[in-house]
């Protein structure tokens, strides 16, 4: 642009100006910005959403949110909303417009629906979409949360440096139907480092420091088990929420993985139990193993549940919580339950038919994972395994904000491993109305069925594979 004598070349300058004019709008493009104030007693959330450029025509929200909405305003003017709708239709707004609304959280609590909002002692747990309403096109957003002094917050979203007194987050652009849970209150978020990653653990409700430490220890142990699959935890900073619900018949009556704006696992626990009882429970290892895969369509739940069900046993043997014998015994007992629950329906159909087919679905998936793991180790003379295949799947496909079909992930796994192990398993089992036949795998691995238990044959032809499955 500058010639040797330091004078501007007019033609080059013209091009430069054109380039600037073309790229400036792209450079200037930034996030929609949400600011949310929670009042001192966490009774209401007051939101301002300012859009970058043209505003969306609709915002998506929890289907119940309208009932608890005090008002929605544009430029100080209240606008009509259909309180029964999960969608808020916006009037035609100017570019860069802002819109405000207020949700009465105290009213949502009266529903006594823990999926919507729940108070635990002085802490509040809500579904994010109760007050954070988003467009359907996954526009990038930044959320600034203002909460009472001295309180803490737990979200699955990426943390950003923010102004003093505010908490700034940038949620991943996941579909609006993927939910998030947000806790605000007097807990501390424990940051548990595991293999280069950090679990952001929040134990909510008024528990003793000793109970919090114990629950943190339990999550650490299960997190380390999952990190051992390929040396680091699959996701960089998942949110782990632990919700104490008092004395129960089981240690963790319920838990699930959520992926709205970032990955999370939520555990409803009986906090009166001991660390030993928590350690002996399989659920945390199961739930965190789900994070080895991206979101798998519910139509293929046999795959995501199969992975988690397989690893909940393998990983606990690898870290010594189960003996090898116990882990094989658990797998065998599970396969038997799955077989007994197979009633002439294909695996694909059973997966569609919901909870009544849980055993058939979970354990068929686990049986396929045992077959895949065994085949890969056998074909590669131990150089490949389900662990190594998942490690590479992480690089191509794990950080993903969409739903995957099992068939797509299976073809990635075949590409990664240079085999057709997964396509073959898919063809054999997904449209089969029988539970997978494991007799060849059991025979090779030296898993001998006796009346009540399983014996490990020391002279089995694939004895080394059996050993490495349980020892990593
Ligand atoms: Zn599961």
């Amino acid at each position: 642009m500058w010639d040797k004598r330091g004078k501007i070349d007019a033609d080059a300058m013209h091009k430069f100006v054109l380039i600037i004019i073309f790229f400036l709008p792209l450079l200037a493009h930034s996030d929609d910005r949400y600011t949310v104030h929670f009042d001192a007693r966490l009774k209401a959330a007051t939101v301002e959403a300012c859009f970058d450029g043209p505003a969306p025509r609709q915002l998506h929200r929890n289907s119940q949110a309208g009932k608890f909405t005090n008002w929605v305003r544009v430029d100080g003017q209240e606008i009509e909303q259909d309180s029964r709708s999960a969608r808020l239709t916006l009037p035609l707004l100017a570019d860069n417009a802002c819109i405000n609304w207020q949700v009465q959280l105290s009213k949502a609590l009266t529903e006594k629906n823990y999926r919507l909002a729940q108070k635990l002692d002085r802490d509040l747990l809500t579904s994010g979409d109760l007050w954070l309403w988003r467009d359907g096109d996954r526009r990038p957003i930044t959320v600034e949360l203002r909460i009472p002094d001295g309180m803490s917050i737990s979200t699955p979203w990426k943390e950003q440096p923010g102004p003093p007194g505010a908490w700034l987050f940038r949620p991943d652009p996941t579909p609006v139907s993927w939910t998030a849970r947000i806790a605000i209150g007097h807990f501390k978020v424990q940051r548990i480092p595991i293999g280069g990653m950090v679990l952001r653990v929040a134990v909510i409700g008024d528990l003793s420091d000793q109970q919090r430490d114990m629950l943190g220890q339990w999550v650490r142990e299960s997190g380390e088990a999952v990190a051992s699959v390929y040396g680091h935890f699959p996701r960089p900073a998942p949110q782990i929420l632990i919700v104490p619900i008092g004395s129960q018949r089981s240690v963790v009556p319920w838990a699930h993985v959520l992926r709205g704006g970032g990955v999370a696992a939520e555990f409803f626990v009986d906090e009166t139990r001991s660390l030993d009882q928590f350690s002996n429970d399989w659920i945390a290892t199961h739930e965190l193993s789900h994070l080895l895969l991206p979101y798998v369509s519910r139509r293929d739940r046999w795959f995501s549940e199969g992975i988690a069900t397989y690893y909940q046993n393998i990983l606990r043997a690898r870290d010594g919580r189960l003996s090898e014998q116990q882990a094989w015994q658990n797998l065998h007992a599970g396969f038997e339950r799955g077989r007994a629950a197979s009633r002439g329906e294909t695996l694909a159909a059973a997966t569609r038919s919901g909870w009544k087919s849980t055993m058939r679905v979970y354990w068929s998936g686990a049986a396929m994972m045992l077959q895949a793991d065994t085949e890969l180790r056998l074909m590669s003379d131990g150089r490949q395994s389900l662990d190594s295949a998942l490690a590479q799947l992480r690089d191509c496909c794990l950080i993903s904000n969409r739903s995957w079909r099992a068939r797509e992930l299976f073809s990635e796994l075949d590409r990664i491993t240079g085999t057709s192990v997964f396509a073959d398993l898919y063809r054999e089992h997904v449209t089969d109305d029988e539970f997978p036949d494991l007799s060849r795998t059991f025979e090779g691995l030296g898993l001998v069925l006796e009346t009540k238990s399983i014996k490990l044959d020391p002279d089995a032809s694939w004895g080394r594979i059996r050993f490495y499955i349980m020892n990593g």
Side-chain angles (χ1 to χ4, degrees), residues 286-287 290 305 308 362:
H286 174 102
E287 295 304 331
H290 275 300
E305 296 302 348
Y362 282 45

Side-chain angles (χ1 to χ4, degrees), residues 26 55 121 166 260 448:
L26 296 178
D121 304 313
V448 183

Side-chain angles (χ1 to χ4, degrees), residues 255-257 282 286-287 290 304-306 308-309 312 362:
H256 60 164
V257 163
W282 52 268
H286 174 102
E287 295 304 331
H290 275 300
S304 48
E305 296 302 348
T309 304
Q312 85 197 26
Y362 282 45

Side-chain angles (χ1 to χ4, degrees), residues 280 312-328 330:
N280 288 330
Q312 85 197 26
N313 290 295
I314 306 293
L315 295 179
R316 288 186 304 143
R318 288 186 189 168
D319 69 13
R321 283 182 284 166
L322 296 178
S323 68
E324 264 180 71
Q325 163 76 34
Q326 280 170 319
W328 287 118
N330 286 358

